[in-house]
Amino acid sequence: MSGPRIQIWFLILLLVVCFALACPLQSRFVAWPGSRANGDVFAITLGESRKLFANEFFVKADSYYHSGFYPTIFDDNRAFKTAHMAEDTGAVNSQNHGEEESFMGPPRNWIDAFGRHFMPDRHTHLDEGGASGDLSGSEGVREILPWLKLSADLDPQNVQNYIVTAYWLRQRMHQPKTAQEVLLEGLHENPGSCDILFELGRLYAESDHDTNRAVNVWMAGLHNWRPVKGTEDEVAANNFIYEKLATQMGAEQADVGNWQAAIQWFEKAKAVSKTPDGLQQMIELLQQHHSIKPKP
Amino acid sequence: MKTILAVAGVVIKELYRRKDFYVLFIVTMLICLIMASVRIFNDDKIIRYLKELCLLLVWVSSLVIAITTTARQIPAERENRTLLPLLAKPVTRTQLLLGKFLGCWLACGIALVCFYLFFGALAASREHQWPLLNYFQAASLHWFMLGIVIAMVLLGSLVFAAPSSNSTICFVVVGGILLLGRHLDSVALTLPEPVRSVFLIIYYSIPHLEFFDVRDLIIHDWPLIHWGYYGLALIYGIGYMVVFLTGASLVFRRQSVN
Amino acid sequence: MAAILKAENLRVEFRSREAAQGTKVALRGLNLEVNAGEVFGYLGPNGAGKTTTMNVLLGFVQPTSGAASLFGIDVRQPIARQRIGYLPELTYYYKFLSAEELLRFYSTLFGLSRLEADRRIDELLKLVELEHARKRPIRTYSKGMQQRAGLAQALINNPDLLVLDEPTSGLDPLGRMKVRQIIQRLKGEGKTVFFSSHELGEVETVCDRVGIIHQGELKVVGPISEIRQPRHANLEQAFLEIIGFETQSAS
């Protein structure tokens, strides 16, 4: 047999071997837990490292919330530890303290002082009109949404993305249906998430005025809540959502006149709260107004 | 001046007869148009992400055009030996350098006008407003920054023999300055001596290109930069261009042509 | 006759890239004069110092010692180059320009007016037979066409002195003949031509005087007849004798 013919046969043989190997390997690869085959484009291209990018985009959204007036890693960012766009939803435990306006500190030298004339110089929030300060333009908060969407696509397990997106869609964009879709998608990715259930309950209560449905969702959240053992911040964040759920339940019970039940929910909230004084005042107020004896 | 303008004219002709600019412009346009067609949460008024993306592409493209075009000017003249008939004319080396600088700077200016017009049209199609002065300040500061970069690359092209090494070094330096230049003094304070002093010397001697990056002005609709500071920034930019061009002229004068 | 090109005691040393080799002497006390209206052939083997001499005369290389002048002006002054035309060896002109644009660019460097430039460009394109391709980009030109475009750029300012560095190298016989015709025509117009070449036959045809350089030293200068007669040989044999080829082969 001549040389080229041997090569052709060899090539055909290799193709057959490859095809034969591909059939069993394909099913094994798809079944393998580390397989990216079933993921979206980000999962396929970036793998787990996409979560790093997700956090960057979440911070980017908060930077947009401030119209670019935002600290870098070299600035004093204690007042920006928790994204303000998330903090303002009231559904996230804030860790911020310190000055919001002067995170850059006083100018260090003439170059720094001169350079500050070329960058945003005021602390503003987009939902309050942003850099122009025009409150009629508070819908400008829409500008944070692309980055939040991107962040959620990259890290579907970060529940804050869904909460913040849904909150602003509902509050400023007047799109409760879209907000609900976002939260349900978040719930699909994070089944039983207390944070998402809390926000979903608020949506039902405040936008749909469907208190019963809201209470059911909050109850589900409370049912799913478990104490966590971890860092102080993790415990505080976990307790915070329990406090919010219990407080909402207390408020709902108070609204329908179940004073005793309301006080019980506030007591539960107080037990985990970092600021129990406010809740204690609420409890005492209810007890005074409705002559309910305090529990021994 | 006629000599400088003649040399500059050839550089400009080279830019618009090569494909680099068109490729970058078309790629920028395509990416932006694709991104503009994405509807996020059914809201077609969301614009800032698009402005940011488009401006980022404009910045990257303009830097690529400025650095690659400038880096090949003198080495290509040497390689093709066109430097010989050129300098055999009554042209001084300083005039040649100034012509090359002016040509590259004007060529980048023309490219910037095209990019900003496209960007403006894209932004205006969604925002229905065109803050001309904001655009003017952002684009002109951008152009002056490119002037500094071009002067720096021209000096680099006389120091480093290969255009590719010069381009790579200049990309790293420019990117480093834009990202870290503002914070080098803070970084220096965390370091022991003598590294601290080295960092501080670098901080005070590098051109602070970040002054010229005022994209937030048009992305986030910030009020205009005070015209006095704007003017000072332009003077600062011209100062660094003169420094780099003087350095280039001194180096070039001492070099043999072939 | 007045000398319009003058080199006095020129010495050029280059620092070698390898430290062990020290410095390399390219020219050793070169004295040379070229008179107005003559065609001067500058001969020498590869590495003899022909191109270095031209580089010094055109201000591209600073001499280590000695002086050079064109029309009585120090070659370091740009104005000394106002009345010269130069054709370097193996040059690839701006590929994105047409011959017409190339010539217009160089005419601007000499400060020619638009009208004058138009006239010169038409004349020169006709002279170098590139009229048909005047609008075509240079990248589409053959090597011979590029060399002729180079010759045209060297003549754009109607120079009194033309410096040509191996003008026929790499050209086919037809191309060489055309370049030779152009040089002869310039000679007829009374121009001074200073050119280096390896083509001794060509030199013999067009030159009034020749200079032979070897290892940085000018060995002989004079009319071709004066170089040939004492040796009873043709120019090629005389050239080989002067550069010591026979001596070397015998030893």
Side-chain angles (χ1 to χ4, degrees):
Chain A
M1 217 187 284
S2 64
R5 195 168 287 180
I6 291 175
Q7 285 172 8
I8 288 167
W9 279 113
F10 187 65
L11 210 66
I12 291 168
L13 182 70
L14 275 178
L15 282 172
V16 171
V17 170
C18 289
F19 185 75
L21 277 173
C23 292
L25 283 178
Q26 170 68 13
S27 56
R28 276 169 184 262
F29 177 68
V30 172
W32 176 49
S35 167
R36 296 179 183 182
N38 299 324
D40 59 11
V41 66
F42 296 121
I44 292 167
T45 52
L46 297 171
E48 284 305 298
S49 66
R50 69 190 189 278
K51 289 183 180 172
L52 291 172
F53 292 97
N55 189 48
E56 284 305 308
F57 288 125
F58 189 74
V59 172
K60 182 89 185 164
D62 200 36
S63 165
Y64 264 49
Y65 190 62
H66 292 89
S67 298
F69 182 74
Y70 209 70
T72 65
I73 53 167
F74 298 100
D75 297 314
D76 175 13
N77 62 358
R78 283 174 301 168
F80 291 82
K81 278 203 174 301
T82 302
H84 292 187
M85 64 179 180
E87 191 184 34
D88 288 356
T89 64
V92 173
N93 183 38
S94 173
Q95 296 169 34
N96 296 335
H97 53 92
E99 275 295 314
E100 290 179 339
E101 285 286 345
S102 55
F103 54 77
M104 282 189 273
R108 299 183 296 275
N109 46 59
W110 73 268
I111 292 173
D112 188 30
F114 184 60
R116 289 184 190 191
H117 295 291
F118 300 90
M119 55 177 79
D121 59 352
R122 271 180 296 121
H123 183 248
T124 57
H125 285 176
L126 269 185
D127 68 315
E128 293 157 359
S132 65
D134 176 13
L135 277 173
S136 65
S138 60
E139 283 184 8
V141 78
R142 60 162 61 88
E143 301 294 350
I144 67 172
L145 297 177
W147 303 111
L148 288 172
K149 175 90 175 74
L150 193 54
S151 179
D153 287 344
L154 287 167
D155 184 7
Q157 273 67 54
N158 183 357
V159 293
Q160 274 196 18
N161 276 318
Y162 304 104
I163 294 166
V164 177
T165 307
Y167 179 81
W168 292 114
L169 275 171
R170 182 166 65 85
Q171 284 290 333
R172 286 285 190 269
M173 314 305 304
H174 313 293
Q175 292 187 40
K177 283 284 162 225
T178 317
Q180 187 182 344
E181 283 168 20
V182 170
L183 289 171
L184 291 175
E185 187 194 324
L187 212 53
H188 176 73
E189 297 287 351
N190 305 275
S193 162
C194 303
D195 304 75
I196 296 176
L197 287 169
F198 167 70
E199 187 56 35
L200 193 60
R202 280 211 301 189
L203 184 145
Y204 291 144
E206 294 169 17
S207 298
D208 296 353
H209 307 290
D210 187 346
T211 317
N212 288 338
R213 208 172 173 195
V215 167
N216 287 340
V217 170
W218 285 327
M219 282 302 289
L222 285 163
H223 180 74
N224 291 340
W225 185 85
R226 298 281 179 279
V228 293
K229 283 179 186 169
T231 63
E232 201 176 316
D233 288 343
E234 284 167 356
V235 172
N238 189 49
N239 288 346
F240 177 81
I241 196 62
Y242 183 84
E243 180 193 340
K244 297 300 282 185
L245 283 163
T247 308
Q248 285 289 357
M249 285 300 295
E252 286 305 324
Q253 293 302 323
D255 277 354
V256 294
N258 290 338
W259 317 116
Q260 195 64 53
I263 290 168
Q264 279 176 1
W265 282 117
F266 286 135
E267 289 283 359
K268 284 181 180 176
K270 198 182 82 178
V272 294
S273 176
K274 274 204 297 188
T275 52
D277 296 348
L279 287 163
Q280 181 58 38
Q281 278 176 8
M282 184 86 84
I283 292 164
E284 285 168 7
L285 206 66
L286 281 173
Q287 284 168 344
Q288 280 168 15
H289 275 263
H290 305 292
S291 312
I292 297 167
K293 287 179 188 171
K295 280 186 176 178
Chain B
M1 193 63 195
K2 259 189 173 180
T3 304
I4 295 170
L5 287 175
V7 176
V10 171
V11 177
I12 294 170
K13 269 186 192 146
E14 184 189 3
L15 178 86
Y16 71 75
R17 288 184 185 176
R18 286 175 68 108
K19 294 185 186 78
D20 316 21
F21 166 69
Y22 301 102
V23 169
L24 284 168
F25 188 63
I26 289 167
V27 167
T28 302
M29 264 174 50
L30 280 177
I31 295 175
C32 291
L33 291 174
I34 290 168
M35 292 308 293
S37 67
V38 176
R39 279 172 69 92
I40 297 163
F41 299 120
N42 297 319
D43 191 336
D44 58 3
K45 287 182 186 162
I46 299 174
I47 176 71
R48 290 190 189 181
Y49 82 97
L50 195 59
K51 288 204 279 187
E52 168 136 5
L53 182 85
C54 191
L55 275 180
L56 177 72
L57 291 171
V58 170
W59 266 69
V60 172
S61 302
S62 66
L63 278 173
V64 169
I65 291 171
I67 293 176
T68 55
T69 305
T70 313
R72 68 170 174 251
Q73 289 302 320
I74 302 288
E77 293 270 4
R78 280 186 204 277
E79 199 182 324
N80 297 330
R81 297 168 61 87
T82 41
L83 196 57
L84 303 175
L86 193 56
L87 288 177
K89 309 282 183 284
V91 176
T92 64
R93 295 185 191 195
T94 306
Q95 280 176 325
L96 173 64
L97 276 179
L98 287 176
K100 291 286 180 190
F101 166 76
L102 191 67
C104 292
W105 198 27
L106 288 175
C108 286
I110 294 167
L112 274 192
V113 169
C114 298
F115 276 118
Y116 273 91
L117 279 176
F118 166 71
F119 167 75
L122 188 73
S125 70
R126 286 229 179 155
E127 275 188 318
H128 307 297
Q129 58 165 349
W130 211 0
L132 271 178
L133 285 177
N134 289 40
Y135 276 63
F136 173 75
Q137 281 198 340
S140 54
L141 284 170
H142 185 174
W143 188 48
F144 269 72
M145 188 222 59
L146 290 180
I148 302 174
V149 173
I150 288 165
M152 187 169 78
V153 178
L154 211 50
L155 171 62
S157 71
L158 294 165
V159 176
F160 306 106
S164 55
S165 56
N166 182 27
S167 301
T168 310
I169 289 166
C170 289
F171 270 121
V172 171
V173 169
V174 170
I177 292 174
L178 284 170
L179 292 172
L180 286 174
R182 187 162 79 85
H183 305 290
L184 269 182
D185 61 330
S186 308
V187 175
L189 295 177
T190 63
L191 299 168
E193 286 290 359
V195 187
R196 173 188 293 193
S197 298
V198 171
F199 269 66
L200 283 174
I201 290 168
I202 294 171
Y203 175 76
Y204 282 106
S205 52
I206 55 169
H208 284 268
L209 302 178
E210 71 273 8
F211 296 165
F212 301 86
D213 181 4
V214 292
R215 281 175 289 169
D216 281 345
L217 198 71
I218 35 186
I219 295 172
H220 296 296
D221 305 325
W222 279 95
L224 286 173
I225 295 161
H226 187 281
W227 288 102
Y229 294 115
Y230 167 83
L232 279 175
L234 299 191
I235 293 167
Y236 176 87
I238 292 169
Y240 268 97
M241 288 179 219
V242 171
V243 166
F244 285 126
L245 289 174
T246 308
S249 176
L250 290 173
V251 173
F252 198 26
R253 250 191 266 175
R254 292 162 62 96
Q255 284 181 344
S256 284
V257 171
N258 58 345
Chain C
M1 265 196 287
I4 59 171
L5 184 157
K6 204 169 179 181
E8 287 172 295
N9 211 18
L10 273 188
R11 184 177 177 84
V12 175
E13 290 175 5
F14 290 116
R15 206 179 304 155
S16 177
R17 283 172 192 236
E18 287 156 44
Q21 288 179 8
T23 53
K24 189 190 167 205
V25 183
L27 292 179
R28 301 162 194 269
L30 181 102
N31 287 295
L32 181 69
E33 283 188 5
V34 176
N35 300 318
E38 72 175 342
V39 178
F40 188 94
Y42 198 44
L43 312 177
N46 285 338
K50 299 189 296 294
T51 302
T52 306
T53 310
M54 289 191 171
N55 285 344
V56 172
L57 292 170
L58 293 160
F60 300 159
V61 173
Q62 295 286 325
T64 312
S65 63
S69 63
L70 297 170
F71 304 101
I73 304 168
D74 190 320
V75 291
R76 286 172 295 184
Q77 304 290 327
I79 195 72
R81 301 192 285 273
Q82 183 70 34
R83 290 162 64 194
I84 68 159
Y86 171 56
L87 174 69
E89 185 191 2
L90 296 173
T91 299
Y92 307 95
Y93 293 93
Y94 307 105
K95 294 181 179 73
F96 49 90
L97 295 181
S98 64
E100 188 180 329
E101 286 170 328
L102 182 80
L103 295 181
R104 192 168 300 285
F105 165 57
Y106 287 124
S107 72
T108 318
L109 301 182
F110 282 108
L112 299 190
S113 68
R114 177 100 194 167
L115 217 65
E116 174 73 359
D118 284 346
R119 195 182 57 77
R120 285 296 296 163
I121 291 167
D122 288 344
E123 262 176 35
L124 290 170
L125 289 176
K126 202 170 169 186
L127 177 74
V128 298
E129 296 173 22
L130 282 177
E131 260 184 319
H132 63 288
R134 63 187 296 159
K135 300 275 183 200
R136 261 167 52 192
I138 290 175
R139 67 168 170 272
T140 62
Y141 285 14
S142 69
K143 200 167 181 183
M145 287 167 85
Q146 285 199 37
Q147 190 72 343
R148 280 184 276 145
L151 199 56
Q153 68 77 27
L155 295 167
I156 189 71
N157 58 329
N158 196 13
D160 294 319
L161 168 65
L162 203 58
V163 179
L164 310 174
D165 191 0
E166 310 210 7
T168 54
S169 80
L171 295 185
D172 61 16
L174 189 68
R176 282 181 201 176
M177 192 194 73
K178 279 184 179 171
V179 171
R180 216 160 37 228
Q181 280 174 350
I182 292 168
I183 294 173
Q184 275 171 333
R185 186 171 161 174
L186 292 168
K187 184 183 169 183
E189 286 173 15
K191 307 280 183 200
T192 311
V193 182
F194 175 71
F195 83 100
S196 69
S197 181
H198 288 299
E199 300 296 324
L200 299 180
E202 178 180 285
V203 170
E204 226 166 347
T205 322
V206 295
C207 289
D208 300 317
R209 283 200 308 147
V210 294
I212 297 175
I213 185 172
H214 182 50
Q215 293 177 341
E217 275 181 76
L218 194 61
K219 298 286 185 186
V220 64
V221 184
I224 294 172
S225 54
E226 278 182 24
I227 294 170
R228 281 170 51 186
Q229 270 171 7
R231 294 169 180 88
H232 305 289
N234 64 21
L235 186 59
E236 187 176 332
Q237 287 163 335
F239 172 80
L240 290 172
E241 193 188 319
I242 288 163
I243 64 166
F245 182 75
E246 283 178 349
T247 323
Q248 279 175 13
S249 27
S251 64

